[in-house]
Amino acid sequence: MDGSLGLIARLPALEVDWGTLVSVNLPTLLFVVVGVPLALVGYIVGADVLVRRLPKRSQPSVRPWVWVGPAILFVGLILVYPMVGTIVRSFFDRHGDKFIGLDNFRRVLTDGGVLIALRNNVYWLVFYTGLVLIFGLLLAVLADRVRFEKTVKTLIFMPMAISFVAMSIIWQFVYYYRPPDVPQTGTLNAILVNIFHGQPLTWIQDPRFNNFALIFIGVWGATGFAMVILSAALKGIPAELLEAARVDGANEMTIFRRVILPLMMPTIVVVGTTMVIFALKAFDVVYVMTAGNYNTDILARRMYSELYSAGNYANASALAVVLLLAVVPVLIFNLRQFRAVEERR
Amino acid sequence: MSVATAAPPTAPPVRSAPAKLRWSERISAGVSSAGLNVAVVALTLAWIVPTLGLLINSFRQGGAFNTSGWWTALAPPFSFTLDSYRAVLGASDLAPSFFNSFMITIPATLIPTAIAAFAAYAFAWMKFWGRNWIFLALVGLLAVPLQLTFIPLLTLAVKLGLNSGNTLPGGLNAGFLAVWIAHTGYGLPFAIYLLANFFRVLPTDLFESAEIDGAGPVTVFFRLVLPLSVPALASLVIFQFLWVWNDLLVALIYVGGTPEVAPLTVTLTNLVGSLGQHREYLTAAAFVSMIVPLIVFFTLQRYFVRGILAGSVKG
């Protein structure tokens, strides 16, 4: 609360002193503007000079590693090494020195809070993915037929550019609750009370629907992404095909179900798997909106609190591995799709 | 972003003009098109109302929106003010974190883009042992949850003195370096994937003639590959920029609550917690955090869309 008190006390301050801000941070600024670009260009030019000094015959076998080397180093250090580390860690006790087999998983998977988080992840998986696909497809098909398509797409796509934190703040004002005897200030409750003459609802706290209220924030953010991809696939369908179906007397609904949908299926699958991965990794919305309270917790947030609030690395590792196991089927599916596309080349 | 089925985008074929219709069909088409327009407009409005509500609230007098909804401000008498913006920019941690967001985002975009370009060049144009398998592994890594990497990396960062309290020789806060390195690793699989797919379809004869002229790979890379790949590079840069700028999780993990290094998303999240009573500043703060990504989005939308399509739609 002292943050807000400080804010009020300092309200008269109007201008940001950018001069001081920059001079205090000058070393950082120099690093960013000069150091980083110089290091990147310097590396590749310098490394190539060194490769040229090698005997002509060994150059072609050394050179590729100079180019992929940094990438392999970074991916190895930031993704592969810690991934293996976490998997190993999940079989050890809290302090990381005693092997305890599957005990961490047994403890984590019987914890009431984790089970609720798992259930909510399933909600996210099903409803987030489903609604993003439905809205994305609907908007792609409908926008394709109006003259102001570009404007529509830009506006729907816009949430893609803003952070989940900002999204959450935006939606706090949509879901805001006030008691029935005072005017509602939240958009949704105002509609509910003034237009439908209902009672205001506590969208974020009520465990009957708060998960769906949170999921919808994610849906709102990702629909534009799905729409843009699906729309491109839709425009890739040859016009003659649709024309031929119309000439044969098919109505628009039949054309959509029998021609458009099957032809778009591969793209829908790609968007769908991407959304499944997003749903499993979801973190920000729940973290900002409820911090996992009111039965809205999800795995990624739960893992974060095991790590930071509880400091329980064993539990956190086990949860991360559970998350990985959930992603593995999608991962295998993606790799298969990728190889299938490669073979068609 | 983890989109994982390949192929460069193809230009959509031009739709042929609709055939001539009978007048009865024209009327029914007109009615349904009116319905269609209404439906599309309604959906779009529903989509922007949440943002619009917040935008209007951010320009209202201090306590106004605690007692009445944002829509009441649309009726006269109007009383809009910049007070909330003045307050958040002048008084909170927001201005330093605005600066921090840039200091984090620029290198965390530049480094992975450059390193990915080097690697993609090798994947597309050089032969080496295990090339296809390494590439396939990268595609697989697109789906791996970042959460899996936190514990060992945090331990390592502390061991190496890269926690955000430390100052490195040269005056750089170690937290910045940790976040740059982390974002580079996390961003590389998608970046390499996107660029390699683009580099691969560049014309082969161009490279051959350049090599005959005696140009080395560095010259070819800087003089031919990069200029020819501006669209792909642009979309990647936008993607990575937005992703890093909007990121909360990675910043929370590697920077934590250290205000000297905290980007906008972290400061904003703290404001949500501490400003429960003063939501008006929150409205302005949210928009301050959105300004840069929205400018990037609206000016470079074309490239952004192209990048998404290059990563996902099958040709």
Side-chain angles (χ1 to χ4, degrees):
Chain A
M1 252 355 354
D2 34 322
S4 64
L5 288 175
L7 193 78
I8 298 166
R10 283 183 290 166
L11 263 186
L14 296 184
E15 293 296 319
V16 182
D17 190 355
W18 289 100
T20 319
L21 198 61
V22 168
S23 64
V24 166
N25 293 290
L26 197 64
T28 314
L29 201 65
L30 281 176
F31 254 99
V32 168
V33 181
V34 185
V36 167
L38 217 62
L40 290 169
V41 176
Y43 164 76
I44 203 68
V45 174
D48 200 69
V49 168
L50 289 182
V51 171
R52 274 161 198 264
R53 293 212 175 161
L54 293 171
K56 261 258 177 318
R57 247 184 317 144
S58 54
Q59 280 185 21
S61 59
V62 175
R63 183 168 278 127
W65 299 104
V66 166
W67 290 79
V68 286
I72 292 177
L73 197 79
F74 270 102
V75 170
L77 179 78
I78 303 297
L79 289 171
V80 180
Y81 151 75
M83 205 169 95
V84 175
T86 302
I87 295 172
V88 171
R89 186 81 206 239
S90 68
F91 298 108
F92 283 79
D93 71 345
R94 260 193 100 138
H95 310 289
D97 41 37
K98 198 173 145 233
F99 182 82
I100 51 168
L102 292 173
D103 279 6
N104 288 329
F105 293 94
R106 220 167 279 142
R107 188 176 55 250
V108 158
L109 291 176
T110 50
D111 180 291
V114 173
L115 289 180
I116 286 175
L118 267 175
R119 181 204 66 183
N120 292 343
N121 262 106
V122 173
Y123 282 166
W124 276 82
L125 202 72
V126 175
F127 293 101
Y128 173 81
T129 310
L131 286 175
V132 167
L133 283 178
I134 290 171
F135 276 115
L137 198 59
L138 188 72
L139 282 161
V141 171
L142 292 183
D144 188 47
R145 292 152 187 245
V146 296
R147 231 174 295 156
F148 40 92
E149 181 182 3
K150 259 212 153 118
T151 317
V152 169
K153 279 185 170 169
T154 303
L155 290 175
I156 305 271
F157 195 37
M158 192 221 34
M160 188 75 202
I162 63 182
S163 63
F164 280 115
V165 182
M167 279 187 210
S168 303
I169 294 171
I170 288 176
W171 280 83
Q172 277 192 353
F173 285 84
V174 176
Y175 290 142
Y176 200 70
Y177 169 85
R178 298 182 85 206
D181 50 319
V182 291
Q184 293 298 322
T185 58
T187 314
L188 208 54
N189 276 332
I191 293 174
L192 205 61
V193 170
N194 300 331
I195 299 178
F196 294 103
H197 303 290
Q199 289 290 311
L201 297 171
T202 49
W203 295 99
I204 300 302
Q205 287 85 10
D206 195 322
R208 282 176 298 168
F209 38 71
N210 57 1
N211 275 300
F212 302 100
L214 296 186
I215 290 170
F216 196 79
I217 302 176
V219 172
W220 179 76
T223 294
F225 174 81
M227 177 197 65
V228 165
I229 298 176
L230 293 171
S231 166
L234 180 70
K235 289 183 195 303
I237 297 175
E240 306 86 63
L241 218 59
L242 304 179
E243 219 44 61
R246 280 193 193 110
V247 169
D248 289 347
N251 66 28
E252 291 301 313
M253 206 51 218
T254 319
I255 292 176
F256 178 74
R257 274 195 305 130
R258 309 295 279 277
V259 183
I260 296 179
L261 214 50
L263 282 172
M264 285 176 72
M265 218 17 124
T267 312
I268 294 177
V269 168
V270 170
V271 177
T273 49
T274 309
M275 290 305 134
V276 165
I277 295 171
F278 281 4
L280 288 169
K281 293 195 208 172
F283 168 81
D284 308 43
V285 171
V286 176
Y287 179 81
V288 179
M289 292 294 276
T290 64
N293 292 314
Y294 318 117
N295 282 345
T296 58
D297 214 356
I298 46 179
L299 280 181
R301 206 222 56 90
R302 171 79 190 202
M303 188 237 159
Y304 177 85
S305 76
E306 288 286 353
L307 191 62
Y308 267 87
S309 314
N312 193 331
Y313 283 21
N315 279 0
S317 302
L319 283 175
V321 172
V322 170
L323 212 56
L324 177 69
L325 289 178
V327 172
V328 162
V330 187
L331 205 137
I332 292 171
F333 181 82
N334 269 3
L335 286 178
R336 283 217 181 124
Q337 292 276 104
F338 175 76
R339 300 194 84 173
V341 172
E342 285 292 283
E343 271 156 28
R344 260 181 273 142
R345 285 195 172 195
Chain B
M1 294 291 108
S2 9
V3 190
T5 310
T10 48
V14 182
R15 284 278 169 86
S16 56
K20 279 199 173 161
L21 300 171
R22 269 174 294 155
W23 66 270
S24 60
E25 283 173 333
R26 254 188 243 172
I27 289 177
S28 72
V31 170
S32 74
S33 105
L36 180 78
N37 280 316
V38 170
V40 174
V41 170
L43 259 173
T44 312
L45 276 181
W47 227 260
I48 58 171
V49 156
T51 319
L52 208 63
L54 186 76
L55 184 66
I56 290 169
N57 269 340
S58 72
F59 288 111
R60 293 177 74 193
Q61 302 281 3
F65 71 85
N66 281 323
T67 48
S68 59
W70 56 268
W71 52 92
T72 54
L74 293 178
F78 301 110
S79 62
F80 293 115
T81 156
L82 287 171
D83 283 355
S84 307
Y85 287 91
R86 289 212 186 93
V88 285
L89 283 179
S92 66
D93 290 333
L94 218 63
S97 19
F98 197 71
F99 181 82
N100 288 344
S101 271
F102 274 110
M103 292 305 106
I104 288 174
T105 310
I106 294 170
T109 304
L110 222 56
I111 301 171
T113 305
I115 289 179
F118 299 157
Y121 180 54
F123 278 120
W125 293 102
M126 293 176 190
K127 286 209 163 63
F128 55 94
W129 178 87
R131 181 176 74 163
N132 293 337
W133 285 107
I134 298 174
F135 195 72
L136 202 64
L138 280 174
V139 175
L141 285 173
L142 278 172
V144 167
L146 304 186
Q147 281 82 2
L148 216 57
T149 64
F150 292 158
I151 297 169
L153 278 187
L154 271 173
T155 320
L156 190 69
V158 172
K159 239 184 242 166
L160 296 175
L162 288 183
N163 27 347
S164 52
N166 286 356
T167 306
L168 298 175
L172 181 73
N173 190 312
F176 281 128
L177 191 63
V179 178
W180 296 346
I181 294 174
H183 273 305
T184 300
Y186 296 145
L188 272 175
F190 177 72
I192 296 172
Y193 175 73
L194 183 84
L195 290 182
N197 281 339
F198 196 90
F199 289 177
R200 232 182 258 177
V201 291
L202 292 174
T204 323
D205 24 338
L206 216 59
F207 295 92
E208 281 165 0
S209 60
E211 265 168 44
I212 290 166
D213 291 345
V218 172
T219 318
V220 171
F221 179 75
F222 282 107
R223 292 283 173 78
L224 279 177
V225 177
L226 290 191
L228 284 173
S229 312
V230 167
L233 288 169
S235 65
L236 176 62
V237 165
I238 299 164
F239 241 120
Q240 183 73 12
F241 185 93
L242 289 178
W243 151 248
V244 176
W245 184 278
N246 290 333
D247 158 78
L248 171 68
L249 184 56
V250 175
L252 271 180
I253 294 281
Y254 297 101
V255 174
T258 321
E260 306 89 70
V261 201
L264 274 172
T265 44
V266 171
T267 310
L268 207 53
T269 309
N270 293 339
L271 279 181
V272 177
S274 66
L275 283 185
Q277 311 300 310
H278 298 277
R279 291 188 301 150
E280 60 269 33
Y281 308 131
L282 206 53
T283 58
F287 270 96
V288 168
S289 83
M290 286 160 61
I291 289 169
V292 173
L294 283 182
I295 291 173
V296 169
F297 173 74
F298 280 114
T299 50
L300 302 168
Q301 196 191 356
R302 216 157 31 99
Y303 290 112
F304 188 45
V305 170
R306 210 182 288 172
I308 293 182
L309 296 182
S312 61
V313 174
K314 61 177 217 64

